[in-house]
């Protein structure tokens, strides 16, 4: 890998899993990191390990998001905060589940760009990385979660067009199953969680952090737009056929 040409970063969802691993990876490269999440105790522990600056904030608190982050100058934005909520079929999901999934996974990410990207453009320097999902690329299991991550995918595609004429790079990283707390929060049934976590060998959070470093360290002439990575034992695709009634 080439040397990363950036000095500062903001990472959301930084208190655990992928976000925490990304903060560790960036600070090991000498990058000054701001680590944003809700859980102060975990952020403070991460700050002690890495030297990162903690920002205790609920990503869905839009007013506070603009108040605390407006004017923050960073070269890298890693928009990672998200929830697995939204696995319930849309026709059975609660109003709260739909709203929370879209606010956390999509709208907050859009607000972050609205806050951070203008400074990148003004300084002619920056790299925006979004954590998407293979659920945003393929029909897998959920209209709600899939729509929130599908929205991230199309936003990233269009953001490249909107930032034309600038050196700002944009990358979307779409993982499959990763060994994090994600599934524990997404599913209430512990047996479902156990099956998901043990039936195949999952990706590690460090694998996603490595993908972030790979995108960041590409030569300035290279924009890595999309990285899709899954466990070797997981793949998307296929065709489902099921009669509507047992008598058919």
């Amino acid at each position: 890998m080439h040397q990363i040409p950036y000095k500062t970063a903001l990472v959301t969802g930084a208190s655990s899993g992928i976000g925490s691993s990304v903060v560790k990876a960036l600070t090991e490269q000498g990058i000054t990191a701001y680590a944003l999440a809700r859980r102060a105790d975990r952020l403070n522990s991460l700050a002690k390990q890495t030297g990162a600056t903690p920002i205790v904030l609920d990503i869905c608190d839009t007013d506070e998001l603009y108040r605390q982050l407006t004017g923050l100058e960073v070269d890298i934005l890693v928009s990672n905060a998200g929830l697995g909520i939204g696995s319930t079929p849309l026709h059975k999901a609660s109003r709260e589940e739909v709203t929370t999934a879209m606010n956390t996974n999509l709208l907050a990410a859009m607000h972050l760009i609205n806050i951070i990207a203008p400074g990148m453009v003004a300084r002619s320097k920056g790299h925006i990385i979004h954590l998407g999902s293979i659920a945003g690329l393929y029909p897998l299991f959920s209209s709600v979660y899939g729509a929130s991550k599908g929205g991230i995918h199309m936003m990233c595609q269009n953001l490249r067009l909107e930032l034309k004429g600038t050196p700002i790079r944009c990358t979307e990283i779409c993982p499959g199953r990763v060994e994090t707390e994600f599934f524990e929060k997404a599913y209430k049934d512990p047996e479902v969680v156990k099956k998901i976590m043990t039936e195949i060998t999952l990706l590690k959070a460090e694998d996603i952090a490595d993908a972030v470093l790979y995108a960041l360290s590409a030569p300035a002439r290279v924009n890595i737009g999309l990285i899709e990575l899954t466990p070797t034992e997981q793949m998307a695709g296929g065709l489902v056929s099921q009669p509507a009634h047992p008598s058919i």
Side-chain angles (χ1 to χ4, degrees):
M1 292 192 295
H2 294 76
Q3 184 175 0
I4 295 176
Y6 306 114
K7 295 182 179 180
T8 56
L10 169 64
V11 181
T12 67
S15 60
S16 65
I18 293 171
S20 177
S21 290
V22 169
V23 169
K24 291 174 183 176
L26 291 176
T27 53
E28 286 172 1
Q29 296 293 317
I31 294 170
T32 299
Y34 295 88
L36 186 154
R38 292 176 298 171
R39 294 177 286 189
D41 55 339
R42 293 201 179 189
L43 283 183
N44 289 332
S45 176
L46 181 65
K48 290 179 181 178
Q49 294 178 53
T50 63
T53 300
I55 301 177
V56 181
L57 177 61
D58 183 344
I59 200 77
C60 290
D61 186 343
T62 306
D63 290 340
E64 195 64 15
L65 196 70
Y66 277 84
R67 189 186 74 80
Q68 290 201 38
L69 299 186
T70 297
L72 180 66
E73 294 189 357
V74 292
D75 302 326
I76 303 164
L77 169 61
V78 181
S79 184
N80 164 72
L83 291 173
I85 190 172
S87 59
T88 305
L90 182 54
H91 65 287
K92 298 179 180 180
S94 67
R95 173 180 174 179
E96 180 183 11
E97 187 173 5
V98 173
T99 301
T100 300
M102 298 307 292
N103 283 347
T104 307
N105 293 348
L106 179 58
L107 292 180
M110 297 177 75
H111 286 301
L112 278 169
I113 294 172
N114 187 248
I115 296 168
I116 299 298
M120 291 181 171
V121 173
R123 298 187 304 275
S124 293
K125 187 175 186 179
H127 197 141
I128 298 169
I129 297 180
H130 279 97
L131 264 295
S133 169
I134 60 169
L137 304 178
Y138 308 102
L140 296 181
F141 64 92
S142 167
S143 296
V144 179
Y145 183 73
S148 71
K149 290 301 184 178
I152 289 290
H153 177 63
M154 288 310 301
M155 179 180 67
C156 290
Q157 296 289 308
N158 283 282
L159 191 59
R160 284 277 289 139
L161 294 173
E162 292 178 344
L163 292 171
K164 64 182 180 294
T166 78
I168 313 305
R169 299 191 289 183
C170 304
T171 300
E172 180 189 9
I173 298 177
C174 295
R177 292 187 196 176
V178 186
E179 187 179 323
T180 67
E181 298 173 358
F182 177 91
F183 297 108
E184 295 176 12
K185 297 180 180 179
Y187 298 95
K188 297 179 181 178
D189 188 340
E191 290 302 313
V192 172
V193 175
K194 181 179 178 181
K195 183 176 186 296
I196 290 173
M197 299 290 285
T198 60
E199 66 181 354
I200 62 173
T201 302
L202 305 187
L203 298 173
K204 301 286 188 182
E206 292 83 358
D207 299 326
I208 315 306
D210 286 343
V212 170
L213 294 183
Y214 172 70
L216 291 172
S217 62
R221 66 180 180 276
V222 177
N223 184 91
I224 297 172
L226 174 65
I227 299 176
E228 177 186 328
L229 65 165
T230 63
T232 301
E233 297 170 291
Q234 183 188 30
M235 61 290 298
L239 182 66
V240 177
S241 299
Q242 183 173 337
H245 303 286
S247 60
I248 296 179

